[in-house]
Amino acid sequence: GRLAAGDVIHFTVCGSSVVVVNHYLVINSMKKSSYVPKPMNLASNQWRWLEDMASKYKLSSTSKAMRCCINCVALGDAQMESDGGCCGCNNTITKEVELSTEQLTWVEGQYNQCDDDNNDDSTLSIEQKVVSACMKLDEYTVFGIIRCKSSVAKCEGAQEAVENIQQQFSVEKDEVVTKENIDICAKNCGCE
């Protein structure tokens, strides 16, 4: 069929969507990405850890805990190991999580990079490696640092996170570590 003015074409490109305006394609930068459901196969102990962390740190969902993990690794605060270590992979469960389009792009890029660069023999998925890397870190590094696509002042969710972090880690507001205006697609973090 033909595209009409106002039609939206969805595809995965960091922070962009395409809208047809007067039969011309216009790329629009999205200020706030919507979340896309993605089936994810993780070890049962990894799901349990994500659920525990979501509860402990008052996150809205297990999906939010996974998004924190992806951002932590994508920004270089945690390193995936090429072998990924053991995560109890013999007992895996598939559940659906919601990720931003940027996070989906980053995950797909890691699969492509690992295939191209390392000929990785690991049986672990990128998602399993991400969670495994975060499970090895101190919880503050994963869940106590705010990683925000805009600025904390402009983001209600980040402001709420500051309050939660203050309570959870007994820190003052000015002691909460923030990383603002992040772009995980611009960071080149691979399987190291």
Side-chain angles (χ1 to χ4, degrees), residues 33-96:
S33 62
S34 59
Y35 296 119
V36 179
K38 178 190 185 335
M40 196 169 290
N41 193 23
L42 298 175
S44 58
N45 67 318
Q46 291 180 315
W47 283 119
R48 193 169 32 262
W49 182 80
L50 287 171
E51 291 161 1
D52 290 348
M53 295 299 103
S55 176
K56 182 175 183 177
Y57 294 107
K58 300 179 183 176
L59 303 175
S60 59
S61 64
T62 304
S63 290
K64 176 62 176 170
M66 186 64 194
R67 290 192 299 270
C68 289
C69 289
I70 289 173
N71 288 345
C72 181
V73 172
L75 293 173
D77 295 332
Q79 298 296 315
M80 291 186 294
E81 298 172 12
S82 60
D83 67 1
C86 180
C87 67
C89 303
N90 292 334
N91 187 16
T92 59
I93 300 169
T94 301
K95 295 183 183 181
E96 194 169 86

Side-chain angles (χ1 to χ4, degrees), residues 113-126:
Q113 185 171 344
C114 288
D115 289 344
D116 293 345
D117 293 350
N118 294 339
N119 295 319
D120 192 357
D121 292 332
S122 173
T123 59
L124 299 184
S125 68
I126 295 298

Side-chain angles (χ1 to χ4, degrees), residues 11-17 29-30 101-103 105-106 183-186:
F11 63 96
T12 305
V13 173
C14 286
S16 299
S17 67
S29 176
M30 295 187 293
T101 54
E102 294 88 353
Q103 290 163 327
T105 298
W106 182 85
D183 180 1
I184 65 172
C185 295

